[in-house]
Amino acid sequence: DSGVTQTPKHLITATGQRVTLRCSPRSGDLSVYWYQQSLDQGLQFLIQYYNGEERAKGNILERFSAQQFPDLHSELNLSSLELGDSALYFCASSVEVAGATDTQYFGPGTRLTVL
Amino acid sequence: GENVEQHPSTLSVQEGDSAVIKCTYSDSASNYFPWYKQELGKGPQLIIDIRSNVGEKKDQRIAVTLNKTAKHFSLHITETQPEDSAVYFCAARKSSGSARQLTFGSGTQLTVLP
């Protein structure tokens, strides 16, 4: 158990809908990363938040957005869903100490199926 | 941006044999290289990592080597066991600057045959 929790574990929805994925980082970790894992694209970085502020963006679609709340949990919002958005979505957290190469710990993921 | 290539995509070995997975990276500024193991239905789990000031690191049956000049790093698993069967991902990251996201290789499905 990495200490990172994600809910829900599975999500099935229809095209055009909107969903919210939730992540709680490990205790003490300030940084949250979101990754998408699909069969043909592997693990792709979407977005990073650090202590409530967006720090880096990867290949995140404009239909997707995220935020990190004062209690450090994060939510990933996916809207106008398309079939191709079906994937595993992982959140990872790290303590993010300046100058250090700290470990990213991954949660168990949310499997999104868009029908 | 960084690009990480990983080979082979699938690897089958007999129990007790060694397994080697290789990765190359493109950005010479990358200085942190973790390896993750992902079992079916679970999230990636860190198994070993190496920083660019070190050439080799071992942890029991697992070792990682890094060649900065050639920009490649490898995972070595000795005395493989059936529970080593999983997908293994290499990754690379820069630790300078504010962005510390990992760039992953495409993964290797390792099967250890009993």
Side-chain angles (χ1 to χ4, degrees):
Chain A
D1 183 2
S2 66
V4 179
T5 60
Q6 288 187 249
T7 57
K9 194 175 173 97
H10 300 280
L11 202 48
I12 301 174
T13 189
T15 54
Q17 294 298 304
R18 172 189 169 93
V19 296
T20 297
L21 282 52
R22 182 188 170 105
C23 166
S24 292
R26 293 187 326 146
S27 176
D29 284 359
L30 298 178
S31 207
V32 169
Y33 301 78
W34 286 97
Y35 293 87
Q36 179 191 58
Q37 185 176 39
S38 57
L39 281 174
D40 58 344
Q41 294 287 325
L43 270 159
Q44 300 280 321
F45 167 70
L46 295 177
I47 196 163
Q48 176 199 358
Y49 275 81
Y50 174 78
N51 203 19
E53 294 193 2
E54 181 185 304
R55 177 165 275 188
K57 262 186 173 178
N59 299 322
I60 188 166
L61 299 171
E62 285 193 13
R63 301 183 284 110
F64 296 1
S65 64
Q67 52 186 326
Q68 186 178 27
F69 294 86
D71 67 352
L72 300 177
H73 91 270
S74 178
E75 292 181 356
L76 179 67
N77 301 296
L78 315 177
S79 61
S80 302
L81 285 168
E82 301 175 359
L83 296 176
D85 297 329
S86 295
L88 275 165
Y89 291 84
F90 289 104
C91 143
S93 76
S94 69
V95 66
E96 207 81 3
V97 175
T101 49
D102 37 51
T103 301
Q104 288 185 25
Y105 296 90
F106 281 75
T110 293
R111 180 175 292 280
L112 173 66
T113 303
V114 182
L115 300 175
Chain B
E2 175 66 276
N3 182 51
V4 178
E5 294 193 0
Q6 182 172 347
H7 300 280
S9 56
T10 60
L11 179 60
S12 291
V13 299
Q14 288 294 135
E15 183 177 356
D17 286 351
S18 296
V20 180
I21 303 170
K22 299 183 179 183
C23 289
T24 60
Y25 61 99
S26 61
D27 190 342
S28 56
S30 289
N31 59 3
Y32 174 63
F33 308 93
W35 286 88
Y36 285 85
K37 175 183 181 182
Q38 186 177 22
E39 296 174 325
L40 200 60
K42 297 186 178 180
Q45 177 189 10
L46 180 77
I47 55 171
I48 196 166
D49 57 14
I50 192 166
R51 287 149 177 80
S52 60
N53 58 346
V54 175
E56 182 175 0
K57 183 177 177 181
K58 285 182 87 169
D59 182 4
Q60 299 182 330
R61 297 185 297 107
I62 293 173
V64 58
T65 58
L66 171 65
N67 183 327
K68 281 179 60 180
T69 303
K71 290 192 278 190
H72 68 70
F73 56 113
S74 301
L75 177 71
H76 304 253
I77 306 174
T78 58
E79 300 171 22
T80 53
Q81 301 165 3
E83 51 265 38
D84 294 330
S85 295
V87 179
Y88 290 81
F89 291 95
C90 62
R93 187 184 76 186
K94 291 182 283 194
S95 292
S96 59
S98 59
R100 299 190 182 184
Q101 68 269 24
L102 294 167
T103 300
F104 284 89
S106 53
T108 297
Q109 173 71 62
L110 173 65
T111 303
V112 180
L113 305 167

